Amino acid sequence: MMHKPYGPYERWIKRPQDFICALLALIILSPVMLVTAILIRVKLGSPVIFSQERPGRNGKIFKLYKFRSMTDEKDEHGALLPDEQRLPTFGKRLRNTSLDELPELVNILKGDMSIVGPRPLLVVYLQRYNEEQARRHEVRPGFTGLAQVNGRNAISWEEKFAWDVKYVDRITFLGDWKIIFSTLTTVLKREGVHSENAATMEEFMGSRE
């Protein structure tokens, strides 16, 4: 089903606004990003930037950029250790403050992402969504979204996807800016960074119908 923009804001204003805001943020935050990159290089090594394929609008695959927050430690068989064991204190601080997400501003400039929208998740999840959950891919994924200001990683996958679809159905100027300002509060309070069972969020294996 083709997504129909809710109104003029979504149709004509949202994308130019995303570009301008992302560009200004990159300029203003460039000193912070430089210092962060240097610290990552010293504490975690290289590469400083972590990239991974993620599904975007209509499931189109793009390369997401983030600051590296985990080590490459492996077990005796050469397999990577679990995330919890590869996430050092420094990496946890990067995630708690969302500094690791700043390179995604480049994805916004490129048009892969929006400032506000459903978070881009793993490609493998595409086959695990039910029909309603898959609607989260009708719009560009976001740097932040309704799910991030309503529990972040402390809520279930089903709750997250319900918030995502609610956002897809009604995208407005005031709604986006309310989410942006709420995100700043959430990050400053470091709310919902971790789930109860994982370093960030346990893997989504699909929902029971």
Side-chain angles (χ1 to χ4, degrees), residues 116-119 132-133 136 145-152 155-171 179:
V116 181
R119 284 292 297 162
E132 181 70 5
Q133 292 167 347
R136 67 193 306 280
L146 264 182
Q148 281 60 54
V149 297
N150 284 284
R152 207 172 176 182
I155 59 176
S156 70
W157 282 114
E158 286 74 18
E159 290 174 300
K160 281 188 177 187
F161 299 149
W163 283 116
D164 290 342
V165 173
K166 182 177 181 180
Y167 176 78
V168 168
D169 285 337
R170 188 182 176 90
I171 299 175
I179 291 170

PDB file of all heavy atoms in Angstrom, residues 116-119 132-133 136 145-152 155-171 179:
ATOM      1  N   VAL A 116      12.982  12.750  12.391  1.00  0.00           N
ATOM      2  CA  VAL A 116      11.962  12.035  13.158  1.00  0.00           C
ATOM      3  C   VAL A 116      11.329  10.951  12.292  1.00  0.00           C
ATOM      4  O   VAL A 116      10.937  11.203  11.152  1.00  0.00           O
ATOM      5  CB  VAL A 116      10.870  12.991  13.678  1.00  0.00           C
ATOM      6  CG1 VAL A 116       9.837  12.212  14.493  1.00  0.00           C
ATOM      7  CG2 VAL A 116      11.474  14.102  14.522  1.00  0.00           C
ATOM      8  N   GLY A 117      11.239   9.759  12.845  1.00  0.00           N
ATOM      9  CA  GLY A 117      10.639   8.641  12.132  1.00  0.00           C
ATOM     10  C   GLY A 117      10.930   7.355  12.884  1.00  0.00           C
ATOM     11  O   GLY A 117      11.647   7.371  13.890  1.00  0.00           O
ATOM     12  N   PRO A 118      10.421   6.230  12.444  1.00  0.00           N
ATOM     13  CA  PRO A 118      10.737   4.953  13.092  1.00  0.00           C
ATOM     14  C   PRO A 118      12.236   4.663  12.987  1.00  0.00           C
ATOM     15  O   PRO A 118      12.835   4.885  11.937  1.00  0.00           O
ATOM     16  CB  PRO A 118       9.924   3.939  12.279  1.00  0.00           C
ATOM     17  CG  PRO A 118       8.824   4.745  11.654  1.00  0.00           C
ATOM     18  CD  PRO A 118       9.437   6.071  11.354  1.00  0.00           C
ATOM     19  N   ARG A 119      12.847   4.180  14.050  1.00  0.00           N
ATOM     20  CA  ARG A 119      14.275   3.900  14.026  1.00  0.00           C
ATOM     21  C   ARG A 119      14.602   2.807  13.006  1.00  0.00           C
ATOM     22  O   ARG A 119      13.864   1.827  12.879  1.00  0.00           O
ATOM     23  CB  ARG A 119      14.755   3.441  15.403  1.00  0.00           C
ATOM     24  CG  ARG A 119      14.880   4.570  16.411  1.00  0.00           C
ATOM     25  CD  ARG A 119      15.998   5.526  16.058  1.00  0.00           C
ATOM     26  NE  ARG A 119      17.303   4.872  16.076  1.00  0.00           N
ATOM     27  CZ  ARG A 119      18.376   5.364  15.483  1.00  0.00           C
ATOM     28  NH1 ARG A 119      18.320   6.487  14.790  1.00  0.00           N
ATOM     29  NH2 ARG A 119      19.527   4.710  15.565  1.00  0.00           N
ATOM     30  N   GLU A 132       0.963  -5.240   9.886  1.00  0.00           N
ATOM     31  CA  GLU A 132       0.812  -3.932  10.522  1.00  0.00           C
ATOM     32  C   GLU A 132       2.168  -3.356  10.913  1.00  0.00           C
ATOM     33  O   GLU A 132       2.444  -2.174  10.687  1.00  0.00           O
ATOM     34  CB  GLU A 132      -0.085  -4.061  11.758  1.00  0.00           C
ATOM     35  CG  GLU A 132      -0.340  -2.760  12.504  1.00  0.00           C
ATOM     36  CD  GLU A 132      -1.227  -1.775  11.750  1.00  0.00           C
ATOM     37  OE1 GLU A 132      -1.731  -2.140  10.669  1.00  0.00           O
ATOM     38  OE2 GLU A 132      -1.406  -0.648  12.241  1.00  0.00           O
ATOM     39  N   GLN A 133       3.040  -4.164  11.486  1.00  0.00           N
ATOM     40  CA  GLN A 133       4.362  -3.692  11.899  1.00  0.00           C
ATOM     41  C   GLN A 133       5.207  -3.238  10.714  1.00  0.00           C
ATOM     42  O   GLN A 133       5.979  -2.284  10.823  1.00  0.00           O
ATOM     43  CB  GLN A 133       5.081  -4.806  12.654  1.00  0.00           C
ATOM     44  CG  GLN A 133       4.465  -5.153  13.997  1.00  0.00           C
ATOM     45  CD  GLN A 133       4.996  -6.439  14.579  1.00  0.00           C
ATOM     46  OE1 GLN A 133       5.662  -7.219  13.890  1.00  0.00           O
ATOM     47  NE2 GLN A 133       4.705  -6.696  15.852  1.00  0.00           N
ATOM     48  N   ARG A 136       5.817   0.489   9.310  1.00  0.00           N
ATOM     49  CA  ARG A 136       6.829   1.436   9.798  1.00  0.00           C
ATOM     50  C   ARG A 136       7.798   1.814   8.684  1.00  0.00           C
ATOM     51  O   ARG A 136       8.486   2.836   8.769  1.00  0.00           O
ATOM     52  CB  ARG A 136       7.577   0.853  10.998  1.00  0.00           C
ATOM     53  CG  ARG A 136       8.450  -0.350  10.665  1.00  0.00           C
ATOM     54  CD  ARG A 136       8.923  -1.084  11.913  1.00  0.00           C
ATOM     55  NE  ARG A 136       9.593  -0.219  12.858  1.00  0.00           N
ATOM     56  CZ  ARG A 136      10.853   0.160  12.754  1.00  0.00           C
ATOM     57  NH1 ARG A 136      11.591  -0.229  11.721  1.00  0.00           N
ATOM     58  NH2 ARG A 136      11.388   0.932  13.667  1.00  0.00           N
ATOM     59  N   GLY A 145      12.212   9.067  17.333  1.00  0.00           N
ATOM     60  CA  GLY A 145      10.821   8.838  16.959  1.00  0.00           C
ATOM     61  C   GLY A 145       9.920   8.734  18.174  1.00  0.00           C
ATOM     62  O   GLY A 145      10.369   8.884  19.318  1.00  0.00           O
ATOM     63  N   LEU A 146       8.649   8.453  17.933  1.00  0.00           N
ATOM     64  CA  LEU A 146       7.685   8.350  19.030  1.00  0.00           C
ATOM     65  C   LEU A 146       8.075   7.263  20.027  1.00  0.00           C
ATOM     66  O   LEU A 146       7.911   7.430  21.239  1.00  0.00           O
ATOM     67  CB  LEU A 146       6.286   8.038  18.469  1.00  0.00           C
ATOM     68  CG  LEU A 146       5.327   9.204  18.244  1.00  0.00           C
ATOM     69  CD1 LEU A 146       3.985   8.687  17.743  1.00  0.00           C
ATOM     70  CD2 LEU A 146       5.136  10.022  19.526  1.00  0.00           C
ATOM     71  N   ALA A 147       8.588   6.145  19.536  1.00  0.00           N
ATOM     72  CA  ALA A 147       8.977   5.058  20.437  1.00  0.00           C
ATOM     73  C   ALA A 147      10.130   5.474  21.340  1.00  0.00           C
ATOM     74  O   ALA A 147      10.221   5.038  22.488  1.00  0.00           O
ATOM     75  CB  ALA A 147       9.364   3.815  19.632  1.00  0.00           C
ATOM     76  N   GLN A 148      11.013   6.338  20.827  1.00  0.00           N
ATOM     77  CA  GLN A 148      12.184   6.741  21.602  1.00  0.00           C
ATOM     78  C   GLN A 148      11.802   7.689  22.743  1.00  0.00           C
ATOM     79  O   GLN A 148      12.529   7.796  23.720  1.00  0.00           O
ATOM     80  CB  GLN A 148      13.216   7.417  20.689  1.00  0.00           C
ATOM     81  CG  GLN A 148      14.049   6.441  19.880  1.00  0.00           C
ATOM     82  CD  GLN A 148      13.207   5.572  18.962  1.00  0.00           C
ATOM     83  OE1 GLN A 148      12.431   6.081  18.159  1.00  0.00           O
ATOM     84  NE2 GLN A 148      13.332   4.263  19.092  1.00  0.00           N
ATOM     85  N   VAL A 149      10.703   8.392  22.630  1.00  0.00           N
ATOM     86  CA  VAL A 149      10.289   9.298  23.706  1.00  0.00           C
ATOM     87  C   VAL A 149       9.167   8.687  24.543  1.00  0.00           C
ATOM     88  O   VAL A 149       8.610   9.336  25.414  1.00  0.00           O
ATOM     89  CB  VAL A 149       9.851  10.680  23.158  1.00  0.00           C
ATOM     90  CG1 VAL A 149      11.016  11.357  22.469  1.00  0.00           C
ATOM     91  CG2 VAL A 149       8.662  10.558  22.214  1.00  0.00           C
ATOM     92  N   ASN A 150       8.848   7.427  24.257  1.00  0.00           N
ATOM     93  CA  ASN A 150       7.812   6.729  25.019  1.00  0.00           C
ATOM     94  C   ASN A 150       8.321   5.385  25.549  1.00  0.00           C
ATOM     95  O   ASN A 150       7.621   4.379  25.526  1.00  0.00           O
ATOM     96  CB  ASN A 150       6.571   6.508  24.153  1.00  0.00           C
ATOM     97  CG  ASN A 150       5.751   7.765  23.962  1.00  0.00           C
ATOM     98  OD1 ASN A 150       5.024   8.192  24.854  1.00  0.00           O
ATOM     99  ND2 ASN A 150       5.892   8.389  22.792  1.00  0.00           N
ATOM    100  N   GLY A 151       9.572   5.396  26.002  1.00  0.00           N
ATOM    101  CA  GLY A 151      10.119   4.195  26.616  1.00  0.00           C
ATOM    102  C   GLY A 151      11.441   3.729  26.062  1.00  0.00           C
ATOM    103  O   GLY A 151      12.161   2.969  26.701  1.00  0.00           O
ATOM    104  N   ARG A 152      11.752   4.119  24.808  1.00  0.00           N
ATOM    105  CA  ARG A 152      13.031   3.755  24.198  1.00  0.00           C
ATOM    106  C   ARG A 152      13.236   2.245  24.250  1.00  0.00           C
ATOM    107  O   ARG A 152      12.399   1.488  23.769  1.00  0.00           O
ATOM    108  CB  ARG A 152      14.167   4.516  24.899  1.00  0.00           C
ATOM    109  CG  ARG A 152      15.407   4.757  24.049  1.00  0.00           C
ATOM    110  CD  ARG A 152      16.364   5.669  24.763  1.00  0.00           C
ATOM    111  NE  ARG A 152      17.612   5.870  24.031  1.00  0.00           N
ATOM    112  CZ  ARG A 152      18.617   6.605  24.482  1.00  0.00           C
ATOM    113  NH1 ARG A 152      18.528   7.211  25.660  1.00  0.00           N
ATOM    114  NH2 ARG A 152      19.715   6.749  23.774  1.00  0.00           N
ATOM    115  N   ILE A 155      10.713  -0.601  26.611  1.00  0.00           N
ATOM    116  CA  ILE A 155       9.402  -1.140  26.254  1.00  0.00           C
ATOM    117  C   ILE A 155       9.577  -2.313  25.300  1.00  0.00           C
ATOM    118  O   ILE A 155      10.650  -2.530  24.750  1.00  0.00           O
ATOM    119  CB  ILE A 155       8.492  -0.058  25.618  1.00  0.00           C
ATOM    120  CG1 ILE A 155       9.134   0.522  24.353  1.00  0.00           C
ATOM    121  CG2 ILE A 155       8.194   1.036  26.625  1.00  0.00           C
ATOM    122  CD1 ILE A 155       8.239   1.528  23.623  1.00  0.00           C
ATOM    123  N   SER A 156       8.516  -3.080  25.092  1.00  0.00           N
ATOM    124  CA  SER A 156       8.593  -4.262  24.235  1.00  0.00           C
ATOM    125  C   SER A 156       8.659  -3.871  22.765  1.00  0.00           C
ATOM    126  O   SER A 156       8.326  -2.749  22.381  1.00  0.00           O
ATOM    127  CB  SER A 156       7.364  -5.152  24.468  1.00  0.00           C
ATOM    128  OG  SER A 156       6.199  -4.519  23.953  1.00  0.00           O
ATOM    129  N   TRP A 157       9.091  -4.826  21.932  1.00  0.00           N
ATOM    130  CA  TRP A 157       9.105  -4.586  20.488  1.00  0.00           C
ATOM    131  C   TRP A 157       7.704  -4.237  19.985  1.00  0.00           C
ATOM    132  O   TRP A 157       7.546  -3.339  19.152  1.00  0.00           O
ATOM    133  CB  TRP A 157       9.615  -5.826  19.769  1.00  0.00           C
ATOM    134  CG  TRP A 157      11.098  -6.019  19.799  1.00  0.00           C
ATOM    135  CD1 TRP A 157      11.790  -7.017  20.415  1.00  0.00           C
ATOM    136  CD2 TRP A 157      12.097  -5.176  19.190  1.00  0.00           C
ATOM    137  NE1 TRP A 157      13.139  -6.867  20.228  1.00  0.00           N
ATOM    138  CE2 TRP A 157      13.356  -5.742  19.468  1.00  0.00           C
ATOM    139  CE3 TRP A 157      12.028  -4.006  18.426  1.00  0.00           C
ATOM    140  CZ2 TRP A 157      14.543  -5.180  19.015  1.00  0.00           C
ATOM    141  CZ3 TRP A 157      13.220  -3.432  17.968  1.00  0.00           C
ATOM    142  CH2 TRP A 157      14.462  -4.020  18.268  1.00  0.00           C
ATOM    143  N   GLU A 158       6.699  -4.954  20.472  1.00  0.00           N
ATOM    144  CA  GLU A 158       5.330  -4.708  20.004  1.00  0.00           C
ATOM    145  C   GLU A 158       4.883  -3.288  20.326  1.00  0.00           C
ATOM    146  O   GLU A 158       4.231  -2.632  19.504  1.00  0.00           O
ATOM    147  CB  GLU A 158       4.372  -5.723  20.635  1.00  0.00           C
ATOM    148  CG  GLU A 158       4.477  -7.130  20.056  1.00  0.00           C
ATOM    149  CD  GLU A 158       5.731  -7.874  20.503  1.00  0.00           C
ATOM    150  OE1 GLU A 158       6.352  -7.457  21.505  1.00  0.00           O
ATOM    151  OE2 GLU A 158       6.091  -8.881  19.855  1.00  0.00           O
ATOM    152  N   GLU A 159       5.250  -2.796  21.505  1.00  0.00           N
ATOM    153  CA  GLU A 159       4.909  -1.420  21.873  1.00  0.00           C
ATOM    154  C   GLU A 159       5.647  -0.426  20.981  1.00  0.00           C
ATOM    155  O   GLU A 159       5.080   0.583  20.542  1.00  0.00           O
ATOM    156  CB  GLU A 159       5.258  -1.181  23.340  1.00  0.00           C
ATOM    157  CG  GLU A 159       4.357  -1.907  24.330  1.00  0.00           C
ATOM    158  CD  GLU A 159       4.842  -1.756  25.759  1.00  0.00           C
ATOM    159  OE1 GLU A 159       5.986  -2.182  26.057  1.00  0.00           O
ATOM    160  OE2 GLU A 159       4.086  -1.226  26.579  1.00  0.00           O
ATOM    161  N   LYS A 160       6.918  -0.707  20.723  1.00  0.00           N
ATOM    162  CA  LYS A 160       7.696   0.168  19.839  1.00  0.00           C
ATOM    163  C   LYS A 160       7.039   0.285  18.468  1.00  0.00           C
ATOM    164  O   LYS A 160       6.866   1.388  17.932  1.00  0.00           O
ATOM    165  CB  LYS A 160       9.120  -0.380  19.654  1.00  0.00           C
ATOM    166  CG  LYS A 160      10.071  -0.119  20.784  1.00  0.00           C
ATOM    167  CD  LYS A 160      11.476  -0.544  20.353  1.00  0.00           C
ATOM    168  CE  LYS A 160      12.503  -0.238  21.398  1.00  0.00           C
ATOM    169  NZ  LYS A 160      13.870  -0.482  20.926  1.00  0.00           N
ATOM    170  N   PHE A 161       6.692  -0.865  17.894  1.00  0.00           N
ATOM    171  CA  PHE A 161       6.126  -0.859  16.547  1.00  0.00           C
ATOM    172  C   PHE A 161       4.761  -0.178  16.515  1.00  0.00           C
ATOM    173  O   PHE A 161       4.399   0.451  15.510  1.00  0.00           O
ATOM    174  CB  PHE A 161       6.039  -2.283  16.011  1.00  0.00           C
ATOM    175  CG  PHE A 161       7.380  -2.972  15.912  1.00  0.00           C
ATOM    176  CD1 PHE A 161       7.487  -4.352  16.081  1.00  0.00           C
ATOM    177  CD2 PHE A 161       8.534  -2.250  15.666  1.00  0.00           C
ATOM    178  CE1 PHE A 161       8.724  -4.987  15.991  1.00  0.00           C
ATOM    179  CE2 PHE A 161       9.776  -2.870  15.581  1.00  0.00           C
ATOM    180  CZ  PHE A 161       9.869  -4.236  15.743  1.00  0.00           C
ATOM    181  N   ALA A 162       3.998  -0.290  17.587  1.00  0.00           N
ATOM    182  CA  ALA A 162       2.702   0.390  17.662  1.00  0.00           C
ATOM    183  C   ALA A 162       2.903   1.907  17.631  1.00  0.00           C
ATOM    184  O   ALA A 162       2.165   2.634  16.944  1.00  0.00           O
ATOM    185  CB  ALA A 162       1.955  -0.025  18.927  1.00  0.00           C
ATOM    186  N   TRP A 163       3.912   2.397  18.351  1.00  0.00           N
ATOM    187  CA  TRP A 163       4.230   3.821  18.317  1.00  0.00           C
ATOM    188  C   TRP A 163       4.691   4.239  16.920  1.00  0.00           C
ATOM    189  O   TRP A 163       4.332   5.313  16.420  1.00  0.00           O
ATOM    190  CB  TRP A 163       5.317   4.156  19.346  1.00  0.00           C
ATOM    191  CG  TRP A 163       4.858   4.228  20.767  1.00  0.00           C
ATOM    192  CD1 TRP A 163       5.239   3.421  21.798  1.00  0.00           C
ATOM    193  CD2 TRP A 163       3.938   5.176  21.328  1.00  0.00           C
ATOM    194  NE1 TRP A 163       4.616   3.784  22.962  1.00  0.00           N
ATOM    195  CE2 TRP A 163       3.817   4.864  22.701  1.00  0.00           C
ATOM    196  CE3 TRP A 163       3.213   6.238  20.803  1.00  0.00           C
ATOM    197  CZ2 TRP A 163       2.995   5.590  23.568  1.00  0.00           C
ATOM    198  CZ3 TRP A 163       2.383   6.966  21.658  1.00  0.00           C
ATOM    199  CH2 TRP A 163       2.275   6.651  23.020  1.00  0.00           C
ATOM    200  N   ASP A 164       5.507   3.394  16.280  1.00  0.00           N
ATOM    201  CA  ASP A 164       5.996   3.703  14.931  1.00  0.00           C
ATOM    202  C   ASP A 164       4.850   3.877  13.942  1.00  0.00           C
ATOM    203  O   ASP A 164       4.827   4.832  13.157  1.00  0.00           O
ATOM    204  CB  ASP A 164       6.920   2.576  14.436  1.00  0.00           C
ATOM    205  CG  ASP A 164       8.247   2.522  15.169  1.00  0.00           C
ATOM    206  OD1 ASP A 164       8.617   3.527  15.803  1.00  0.00           O
ATOM    207  OD2 ASP A 164       8.909   1.471  15.097  1.00  0.00           O
ATOM    208  N   VAL A 165       3.906   2.948  13.968  1.00  0.00           N
ATOM    209  CA  VAL A 165       2.780   3.004  13.030  1.00  0.00           C
ATOM    210  C   VAL A 165       1.889   4.191  13.345  1.00  0.00           C
ATOM    211  O   VAL A 165       1.358   4.842  12.431  1.00  0.00           O
ATOM    212  CB  VAL A 165       1.980   1.680  13.073  1.00  0.00           C
ATOM    213  CG1 VAL A 165       0.714   1.796  12.220  1.00  0.00           C
ATOM    214  CG2 VAL A 165       2.843   0.525  12.565  1.00  0.00           C
ATOM    215  N   LYS A 166       1.731   4.501  14.627  1.00  0.00           N
ATOM    216  CA  LYS A 166       0.955   5.689  15.005  1.00  0.00           C
ATOM    217  C   LYS A 166       1.584   6.944  14.405  1.00  0.00           C
ATOM    218  O   LYS A 166       0.876   7.827  13.911  1.00  0.00           O
ATOM    219  CB  LYS A 166       0.886   5.801  16.525  1.00  0.00           C
ATOM    220  CG  LYS A 166       0.048   6.987  17.016  1.00  0.00           C
ATOM    221  CD  LYS A 166      -0.045   6.995  18.544  1.00  0.00           C
ATOM    222  CE  LYS A 166      -0.904   8.173  19.004  1.00  0.00           C
ATOM    223  NZ  LYS A 166      -1.026   8.207  20.493  1.00  0.00           N
ATOM    224  N   TYR A 167       2.910   7.005  14.422  1.00  0.00           N
ATOM    225  CA  TYR A 167       3.600   8.157  13.829  1.00  0.00           C
ATOM    226  C   TYR A 167       3.390   8.209  12.323  1.00  0.00           C
ATOM    227  O   TYR A 167       3.106   9.278  11.759  1.00  0.00           O
ATOM    228  CB  TYR A 167       5.107   8.093  14.134  1.00  0.00           C
ATOM    229  CG  TYR A 167       5.871   9.201  13.454  1.00  0.00           C
ATOM    230  CD1 TYR A 167       5.857  10.489  13.970  1.00  0.00           C
ATOM    231  CD2 TYR A 167       6.557   8.983  12.260  1.00  0.00           C
ATOM    232  CE1 TYR A 167       6.514  11.535  13.329  1.00  0.00           C
ATOM    233  CE2 TYR A 167       7.223  10.013  11.615  1.00  0.00           C
ATOM    234  CZ  TYR A 167       7.186  11.285  12.153  1.00  0.00           C
ATOM    235  OH  TYR A 167       7.831  12.316  11.507  1.00  0.00           O
ATOM    236  N   VAL A 168       3.515   7.075  11.652  1.00  0.00           N
ATOM    237  CA  VAL A 168       3.357   7.016  10.196  1.00  0.00           C
ATOM    238  C   VAL A 168       2.002   7.571   9.766  1.00  0.00           C
ATOM    239  O   VAL A 168       1.889   8.237   8.732  1.00  0.00           O
ATOM    240  CB  VAL A 168       3.516   5.554   9.704  1.00  0.00           C
ATOM    241  CG1 VAL A 168       3.067   5.422   8.245  1.00  0.00           C
ATOM    242  CG2 VAL A 168       4.966   5.108   9.847  1.00  0.00           C
ATOM    243  N   ASP A 169       0.984   7.325  10.562  1.00  0.00           N
ATOM    244  CA  ASP A 169      -0.374   7.732  10.200  1.00  0.00           C
ATOM    245  C   ASP A 169      -0.660   9.217  10.384  1.00  0.00           C
ATOM    246  O   ASP A 169      -1.639   9.725   9.849  1.00  0.00           O
ATOM    247  CB  ASP A 169      -1.398   6.928  11.018  1.00  0.00           C
ATOM    248  CG  ASP A 169      -1.544   5.501  10.513  1.00  0.00           C
ATOM    249  OD1 ASP A 169      -1.230   5.261   9.333  1.00  0.00           O
ATOM    250  OD2 ASP A 169      -1.965   4.632  11.295  1.00  0.00           O
ATOM    251  N   ARG A 170       0.185   9.909  11.141  1.00  0.00           N
ATOM    252  CA  ARG A 170      -0.089  11.330  11.379  1.00  0.00           C
ATOM    253  C   ARG A 170       1.219  12.081  11.629  1.00  0.00           C
ATOM    254  O   ARG A 170       1.677  12.219  12.765  1.00  0.00           O
ATOM    255  CB  ARG A 170      -1.040  11.497  12.571  1.00  0.00           C
ATOM    256  CG  ARG A 170      -1.544  12.925  12.771  1.00  0.00           C
ATOM    257  CD  ARG A 170      -2.451  12.987  14.004  1.00  0.00           C
ATOM    258  NE  ARG A 170      -2.879  14.352  14.284  1.00  0.00           N
ATOM    259  CZ  ARG A 170      -3.977  14.918  13.791  1.00  0.00           C
ATOM    260  NH1 ARG A 170      -4.766  14.233  12.981  1.00  0.00           N
ATOM    261  NH2 ARG A 170      -4.304  16.156  14.114  1.00  0.00           N
ATOM    262  N   ILE A 171       1.835  12.562  10.554  1.00  0.00           N
ATOM    263  CA  ILE A 171       3.098  13.297  10.629  1.00  0.00           C
ATOM    264  C   ILE A 171       2.819  14.787  10.496  1.00  0.00           C
ATOM    265  O   ILE A 171       2.308  15.252   9.472  1.00  0.00           O
ATOM    266  CB  ILE A 171       4.060  12.832   9.518  1.00  0.00           C
ATOM    267  CG1 ILE A 171       4.382  11.341   9.688  1.00  0.00           C
ATOM    268  CG2 ILE A 171       5.346  13.663   9.537  1.00  0.00           C
ATOM    269  CD1 ILE A 171       5.224  10.750   8.578  1.00  0.00           C
ATOM    270  N   ILE A 179       8.498  15.818  19.476  1.00  0.00           N
ATOM    271  CA  ILE A 179       9.337  14.626  19.622  1.00  0.00           C
ATOM    272  C   ILE A 179      10.806  15.020  19.763  1.00  0.00           C
ATOM    273  O   ILE A 179      11.543  14.448  20.580  1.00  0.00           O
ATOM    274  CB  ILE A 179       9.146  13.674  18.425  1.00  0.00           C
ATOM    275  CG1 ILE A 179       7.744  13.058  18.465  1.00  0.00           C
ATOM    276  CG2 ILE A 179      10.212  12.572  18.420  1.00  0.00           C
ATOM    277  CD1 ILE A 179       7.369  12.301  17.213  1.00  0.00           C
TER     278      ILE A 179
END
